[in-house]
Amino acid sequence: MKGQKNVIVITGGAGGIGQACARAFKNQSIIITDYSQGKVDETIEILAKEGIDATGIACDITSKKDIEKLTQYVADNGSLKALIHTAGVSGTVKDLKKVYTIDLVATELLVDAFYKLAGTDSVAVLLSSMMAHTVLANEKYDEALANPQGARSFDIVSQFVDNDSDLMYNFAKRGVQLLTHKNADKWGEKGARIVSVSPGVIETPMALKAAEEHPERMEMIKQATPLKRNGQPEEIADVIYFLASDAARFITSTDILVDGGVIHKIKKMA
Ligand SMILES: NC(=O)c1ccc[n+]([C@@H]2O[C@H](COP(=O)([O-])OP(=O)(O)OC[C@H]3O[C@@H](n4cnc5c(N)ncnc54)[C@H](O)[C@@H]3O)[C@@H](O)[C@H]2O)c1
């Protein structure tokens, strides 16, 4: 088996954007991973009913041990074409350390682990957020965000977020973008690419939860969106499919904003 098929690995594969990605890559070898084996199996079953073949393994992305198991599973099943990293939590999780650890520290753990599997034409696509674009560049926290495993990283960033989990989410997602810049040379030496995608409001379980918490904010965002609607998971998956394809072979170390045009309006209002 080793080295034969090109595999597409989707973290957060049970989630809204993760499942949409599996559908976009339906004719390729897909490996789904998510927090629990139950979620993975359920997703594989849903996809099978639609005629999409996928295999999978559970991985808590905050656990180095689980990530080791995942990368071994991937290596046993083929060679890495794409890591599509959609697993994450929103600011509705009120534990700031948890948001930072899942959304940023774990992203670096995955990038480091998958670097070992990357070869010519492999690509890592990391999910950031349009809200990362509201966090300005600042040398005081950017160094910490770009090095999230550093002993003081969380404490340094915490000084700027006023104990607000939504703000911590925005900072963590800026960190995701900084990780693409930090790793681009290393990946590039292998002929591999690393990029991020920043969705706007996309109608998935994550966004619906946030909408319950802040209905007025979500309505304001929709009205401010030039396209006057929220996005659908398939609209992110289509961009990710492009980024993983040969058509995007000169795109690396950058972020692609897919937000219906709203973030420029929000920044003006702030
Ligand atoms: N939906 C939006 O409006 C939106 C907007 C901007 C950015 N994003 C980003 O896109 C990505 C996907 O979002 P979504 O809307 O599909 O969310 P979702 O909640 O539908 O899916 C996220 C998945 O991540 C998994 N996950 C969470 N913690 C995990 C962990 N420790 N280990 C393994 N898996 C874990 C969850 O089980 C879930 O299946 C996220 O990174 C999110 O921050 C989403």
Side-chain angles (χ1 to χ4, degrees):
M1 270 304 241
K2 211 168 242 184
Q4 281 177 349
K5 310 180 277 193
N6 285 332
V7 296
I8 311 288
V9 181
I10 306 173
T11 74
I17 292 174
Q19 282 198 23
C21 286
R23 293 187 180 98
F25 286 91
K26 65 179 174 221
N27 295 321
Q28 304 188 35
S29 298
I30 301 166
I31 294 176
I32 297 283
T33 179
D34 208 290
Y35 190 77
S36 73
Q37 193 62 45
K39 276 181 170 228
V40 171
D41 292 344
E42 206 180 293
T43 307
I44 290 172
E45 209 171 295
I46 291 169
L47 294 170
K49 282 188 185 140
E50 298 172 26
I52 300 167
D53 263 345
T55 59
I57 180 173
C59 170
D60 173 354
I61 58 165
T62 63
S63 156
K64 279 190 182 171
K65 232 181 174 177
D66 277 12
I67 292 178
E68 241 172 65
K69 274 193 222 154
L70 171 64
T71 50
Q72 189 56 55
Y73 182 85
V74 174
D76 289 344
N77 278 279
S79 56
L80 181 72
K81 171 59 192 161
L83 166 67
I84 299 166
H85 172 39
T86 84
V89 290
S90 70
T92 56
V93 172
K94 297 301 170 203
D95 178 340
L96 273 70
K97 185 111 195 214
K98 203 167 170 185
V99 172
Y100 196 71
T101 305
I102 294 177
D103 287 341
L104 184 55
V105 180
T107 298
E108 183 164 65
L109 295 180
L110 280 167
V111 168
D112 289 350
F114 275 83
Y115 171 71
K116 295 180 192 128
L117 299 183
T120 311
D121 296 333
S122 298
V123 60
V125 181
L126 313 177
L127 269 288
S128 177
S129 165
M130 73 166 176
M131 294 311 292
H133 292 256
T134 63
V135 182
L136 300 177
N138 181 322
E139 61 185 28
K140 286 192 191 126
Y141 49 71
D142 277 353
E143 177 71 17
L145 288 173
N147 297 285
Q149 294 179 74
R152 297 205 53 243
S153 174
F154 173 74
D155 292 337
I156 293 168
V157 177
S158 293
Q159 292 165 21
F160 297 88
V161 301
D162 200 21
N163 210 24
D164 179 328
S165 56
D166 287 322
L167 268 183
M168 182 53 98
Y169 173 85
N170 302 349
F171 275 70
K173 291 297 188 176
R174 173 171 173 78
V176 169
Q177 296 184 10
L178 297 177
L179 289 183
T180 70
H181 308 321
K182 178 176 150 186
N183 285 282
D185 279 339
K186 212 170 125 182
W187 282 62
E189 278 163 21
K190 286 188 169 188
R193 299 180 291 114
I194 179 163
V195 293
S196 62
V197 170
S198 284
V201 177
I202 307 300
E203 289 179 359
T204 68
M206 179 184 278
L208 294 176
K209 209 167 169 192
E212 270 171 31
E213 205 166 286
H214 304 289
E216 64 311 315
R217 193 195 294 172
M218 300 308 263
E219 187 54 32
M220 182 279 284
I221 294 176
K222 195 196 271 187
Q223 289 316 319
T225 304
L227 296 174
K228 291 286 177 286
R229 64 174 178 84
N230 294 331
Q232 296 303 315
E234 301 73 44
E235 293 174 311
I236 301 302
D238 284 349
V239 174
I240 292 174
Y241 183 84
F242 158 72
L243 287 170
S245 78
D246 197 45
R249 61 194 171 277
F250 203 48
I251 300 180
T252 192
S253 189
T254 195
D255 181 71
I256 308 289
L257 187 56
V258 191
D259 71 336
V262 75
I263 201 65
H264 295 292
K265 299 272 287 289
I266 292 177
K267 284 207 282 195
K268 253 192 207 165
M269 287 180 209

